Amino acid sequence: MCLLGVAVSVAMIVSILSISHGMRNSLNSYMKESGASLVVFDRSAADLAFSKVTAEEVDKVRNIPGVEEVSRANFTMIMGPRLGDKSPAGAGLGIIPVFGRFYSERMIRKYESKLIAGRLPSRRDELLLGDLAARKLKVKVGDRFPFFREELLGISQYEVAGIFETDLSWENLGVVAHAEVVQQKTGPDFALIFVYTAPEDTARVRDEVESKIPRLIARRASEFTDRFNEQLAYIDEFIFLLSMIAGIVGVLGVLNTMMMSVSERTRELGTLRALGWTGRRVLGVIVIEGTFISIAGGLLGMGFGFLGTELLLAFFSRGYLIASYLPETFLHGFLLALLVGLLGSLYPAMRASALQPAEALRYE
Amino acid sequence: MNEPIVRVNKAKKTFEGGLVIALDEVSLEIEAGSFVAITGPSGSGKTTLLNIVGAMDVPDSGEVFIDGELAASGRELDSIRARKIGFVFQMHNLIPALTARQNVEIPMLPRPLTSKERKTRALQLLDEVKLKKRAESSVQGLSGGERQRVAIARALANAPPLLLADEPTGNLDSRTGSEVMDLLHEQRERVGATLILVTHNEELCRGADQHIRMQDGKIST
């Protein structure tokens, strides 16, 4: 039971850490692949979903010397359309991320090398679908279907212009729609803008954006996730808190098991003391035993964590979550198990080492 | 006369806050290499005396010297037990999860010996008690007599000058008990150790160099 308790605690930590790393890594890749020099967004937004960059601010950025081009981006999430007979079992697809892009702007070109069918969209009633989205919606290039449930800008049917595939499963599950159409859902502001400059101008442009529009923050695409990671600090705090809770549960489990073990083996421990073992040696043996059990639970938990995460992602996340299994994650799990073993067995070990041999041998 | 292996000087031991007097200012001396029997009715203090002589307990007052060393505090007691004393208990007190050989190796673990040295010594001792063939058997598979023979081998592991046996035949039939006692005497003579035997059985006291009879926490004769 103790072994299983530690295993579950470690599995939980491994799973959450791997998913958290996966999310961060996938965002890193997404931003790097944009090819933009800078990513500009709302400094005070706790999450990109709440970031707002106005059209006036976009113009101000565009007019900064050294800015070659600006691509505006907005974002929403919709419930997948019901496609009648075309839809699997007639049911909705679930949540679909919708990336709003202007088809005339440079950002859309990143999909050029990712196309597996069709072409880049050019009209407002055209869509670019991720491979997974196309498969789930059961649509192919040239199909027309009512992507949004309402008529937006007078458009009710959207044509699939192309289908792309990237390494990011949540992007593959998404749909690129014209930013003006998406604006009908999100309002006139943009979530972020991608700024293209010559490499030697990037630093200066970044400083100028931030000095001219203090409300906005400009980061190199490669630094974006650093900033984003700051915003995701609450995830670290959550993981720390969860580690603490898992650790406390594990310590209590080991403590209980080792207390019972010491109690059941009182005569045995008395015999060892009678045979010349010192209290310190008995303490060491109990601590090693508790730690060994805990580490065995930890190793089991790492396996459970890996398998559990894979099963979770395969059956429930529908591709929105990605796990990244880093050595640090498993080290974290191992150290947690080690600490749990040491702390959980220390008190029983101290009790055992304090046993007087004559008294222990009398124990019934 | 040589320095006695055990010297107890006015040892007093009480339990339950002084209500029960287990030893009442007992003094005695035991000569090295002798066979000493301690007898007496239940509650007479013989096991308490054995515990004190075996450095498993300390008296509330008085002094105990074992092979010339004062047995007074925890660390000294640990050291004395490890170097100078071998115990044979009534219930053998072997570790059930271990083999006979591993049980014999237990007292040697605190000593600076390699695992090979320990194993060689344990096998040699098991050979002495005629159990070498069962060395790798779990002690759970051994008979009562065999277990007690393993316990004797274990008691001899560190070649202690003092062997203490608390009712070593108490759980055995008379024939097996007799065999175990013969073995105990044989081994004692072989290594030249002192044997202190606590028993209810007057038969086992035959041939004792010293017979201590306990009554109400005192030596009666």
Side-chain angles (χ1 to χ4, degrees):
Chain A
M1 280 304 286
C2 157
L3 195 112
L4 209 62
V6 176
V8 169
S9 300
V10 170
M12 205 161 64
I13 296 301
V14 165
S15 182
I16 291 171
L17 274 175
S18 300
I19 291 174
S20 160
H21 286 310
M23 284 169 67
R24 290 172 191 210
N25 287 349
S26 65
L27 266 168
N28 255 330
S29 306
Y30 181 76
M31 289 303 167
K32 277 180 190 162
E33 279 185 6
S34 71
S37 313
L38 294 170
V39 183
V40 178
F41 55 102
D42 189 337
R43 183 184 291 276
S44 61
D47 188 282
L48 276 184
F50 309 114
S51 170
K52 287 192 184 306
V53 182
T54 64
E56 293 75 31
E57 288 165 338
V58 173
D59 286 339
K60 277 188 187 172
V61 172
R62 194 178 272 136
N63 291 330
I64 291 172
V67 172
E68 292 173 355
E69 207 173 328
V70 168
S71 286
R72 297 159 289 174
N74 50 15
F75 172 79
T76 188
M77 292 182 100
I78 65 165
M79 292 305 292
R82 290 179 185 278
L83 296 179
D85 292 338
K86 279 188 175 179
S87 169
L93 179 68
I95 297 169
I96 299 179
V98 183
F99 308 103
R101 304 285 184 263
F102 284 93
Y103 296 159
S104 57
E105 292 180 353
R106 188 160 161 183
M107 179 60 188
I108 196 74
R109 275 182 246 149
K110 87 158 203 172
Y111 291 105
E112 206 153 25
S113 60
K114 314 278 182 193
L115 282 173
I116 55 171
R119 54 171 173 78
L120 292 179
S122 56
R123 299 194 315 266
R124 289 193 308 192
D125 66 341
E126 286 182 336
L127 301 172
L128 186 60
L129 268 63
D131 172 49
L132 289 175
R135 274 195 274 162
K136 287 202 171 185
L137 287 165
K138 292 193 173 179
V139 291
K140 57 185 188 306
V141 171
D143 283 354
R144 293 181 70 81
F145 70 103
F147 181 59
F148 293 102
R149 293 180 186 218
E150 69 272 47
E151 205 174 273
L152 301 172
L153 296 175
I155 303 165
S156 58
Q157 295 282 318
Y158 294 82
E159 186 177 325
V160 181
I163 296 172
F164 67 87
E165 188 180 3
T166 72
D167 294 334
L168 307 175
S169 54
W170 53 267
E171 197 179 8
N172 286 338
L173 266 169
V175 170
V176 179
H178 197 279
E180 283 178 11
V181 174
V182 177
Q183 273 178 319
Q184 304 307 304
K185 306 285 282 183
T186 62
D189 298 329
F190 301 97
L192 71 160
I193 52 176
F194 297 92
V195 178
Y196 298 84
T197 69
E200 62 273 20
D201 293 333
T202 305
R204 185 182 50 76
V205 170
R206 182 189 64 198
D207 295 344
E208 216 163 313
V209 168
E210 291 192 348
S211 65
K212 282 190 173 168
I213 319 164
R215 205 183 67 74
L216 299 183
I217 185 166
R219 284 287 175 267
R220 288 178 191 271
S222 56
E223 292 172 353
F224 172 81
T225 42
D226 295 342
R227 163 69 184 173
F228 194 73
N229 285 349
E230 279 172 36
Q231 291 173 318
L232 286 182
Y234 65 89
I235 291 185
D236 292 330
E237 285 168 23
F238 174 70
I239 290 169
F240 177 74
L241 196 68
L242 208 66
S243 296
M244 291 288 286
I245 294 169
I248 289 168
V249 170
V251 166
L252 289 176
V254 174
L255 183 76
N256 181 49
T257 301
M258 294 313 292
M259 282 301 281
M260 277 172 59
S261 168
V262 165
S263 172
E264 282 168 6
R265 293 188 299 169
T266 300
R267 281 181 69 89
E268 207 171 278
L269 295 168
T271 304
L272 295 176
R273 294 299 311 279
L275 296 175
W277 281 33
T278 59
R280 191 180 290 182
R281 177 170 281 270
V282 168
L283 183 135
V285 165
I286 302 291
V287 167
I288 288 170
E289 190 179 314
T291 307
F292 182 79
I293 292 171
S294 186
I295 288 176
L299 293 174
L300 199 66
M302 289 179 203
F304 282 168
F306 173 75
L307 288 175
T309 307
E310 287 297 301
L311 287 173
L312 184 81
L313 299 185
F315 291 105
F316 299 106
S317 96
R318 297 183 175 190
Y320 290 107
L321 297 177
I322 296 170
S324 178
Y325 303 101
L326 302 179
E328 302 93 276
T329 301
F330 291 97
L331 183 68
H332 186 113
F334 179 81
L335 290 177
L336 180 74
L338 182 71
L339 199 66
V340 160
L342 287 173
L343 291 178
S345 57
L346 197 60
Y347 178 66
M350 285 164 69
R351 287 274 300 259
S353 70
L355 281 171
Q356 293 305 312
E359 195 183 317
L361 286 168
R362 276 197 297 271
Y363 186 82
E364 294 296 330
Chain B
M1 186 184 164
N2 292 334
E3 173 77 15
I5 184 94
V6 174
R7 186 153 60 86
V8 179
N9 186 22
K10 290 188 175 178
K12 184 169 185 175
K13 182 75 181 176
T14 60
F15 295 105
E16 297 180 24
L19 290 175
V20 177
I21 300 172
L23 284 184
D24 192 1
E25 299 204 343
V26 167
S27 295
L28 63 90
E29 286 190 354
I30 293 172
E31 198 179 330
S34 60
F35 166 38
V36 179
I38 302 175
T39 57
S42 294
S44 60
K46 54 188 189 301
T47 297
T48 305
L49 179 60
L50 193 76
N51 285 342
I52 281 176
V53 167
M56 288 214 289
D57 211 345
V58 284
D60 299 336
S61 61
E63 291 172 326
V64 178
F65 292 90
I66 297 165
D67 204 13
E69 291 182 39
L70 178 67
S73 70
R75 194 165 285 184
E76 288 161 2
L77 297 182
D78 287 342
S79 170
I80 289 171
R81 283 198 305 274
R83 291 179 293 115
K84 298 192 179 291
I85 296 167
F87 280 97
V88 180
F89 304 95
Q90 180 179 357
M91 299 289 291
H92 60 75
N93 288 16
L94 298 175
I95 309 295
L98 303 180
T99 64
R101 176 181 58 78
Q102 288 167 334
N103 266 283
V104 177
E105 285 185 30
I106 288 173
M108 293 186 258
L109 288 171
R111 293 178 57 200
L113 297 174
T114 64
S115 61
K116 193 180 174 186
E117 287 168 334
R118 278 199 307 269
K119 187 175 177 181
T120 306
R121 169 89 179 135
L123 290 174
Q124 180 196 337
L125 288 163
L126 284 169
D127 194 26
E128 296 285 352
V129 299
K130 298 171 183 61
L131 270 180
K132 194 174 181 182
K133 284 183 182 167
R134 308 296 305 272
E136 301 306 328
S137 303
S138 162
V139 292
Q140 286 174 302
L142 302 181
S143 68
E146 286 173 327
R147 289 179 192 186
Q148 208 55 303
R149 279 151 66 189
V150 174
I152 291 170
R154 183 181 65 182
L156 294 166
N158 289 334
L162 190 56
L163 277 176
L164 306 185
D166 189 0
E167 301 277 12
T169 61
N171 271 14
L172 303 174
D173 60 65
S174 57
R175 192 178 143 208
T176 312
S178 173
E179 285 172 6
V180 164
M181 278 312 298
D182 288 346
L183 183 66
L184 203 50
H185 282 300
E186 184 187 310
Q187 294 302 316
R188 173 182 76 84
E189 280 162 20
R190 187 178 63 79
V191 298
T194 305
L195 173 64
I196 302 178
L197 172 74
V198 165
T199 183
H200 279 104
N201 188 345
E202 291 284 339
E203 276 288 299
L204 301 182
C205 305
R206 275 192 302 180
D209 300 306
Q210 192 177 351
H211 191 160
I212 298 167
R213 290 188 171 82
M214 295 294 296
Q215 183 75 44
D216 298 329
K218 292 181 175 174
I219 295 173
S220 59
T221 56

